[in-house]
Amino acid sequence: MSLENAPDEVKLAVDLIMLLEEHAIAPETVLKALAIVQRDFENKINAAEA
């Protein structure tokens, strides 16, 4: 499967991985930041459902 035909979430994931790797951010820092991002977006989903 080419990236061109991949689902949007796969395209975004690839872009994020490239960005994080280009900036040589430590994996532990990335995971902590992603947990914060996940909570933020889960809160946005919950707020939209309320």
Side-chain angles (χ1 to χ4, degrees):
M1 173 189 296
S2 74
L3 190 56
E4 183 176 291
N5 298 323
D8 288 342
E9 63 270 20
V10 173
K11 292 177 188 176
L12 178 57
V14 170
D15 287 344
L16 290 171
I17 291 167
M18 289 175 56
L19 178 69
L20 295 166
E21 288 181 349
E22 286 173 3
H23 288 85
I25 300 172
E28 297 83 3
T29 303
V30 171
L31 292 177
K32 289 177 183 177
L34 288 174
I36 294 167
V37 171
Q38 181 172 355
R39 283 193 303 272
D40 180 66
F41 278 88
E42 286 172 347
N43 289 338
K44 289 177 183 183
I45 290 171
N46 292 334
E49 292 174 352

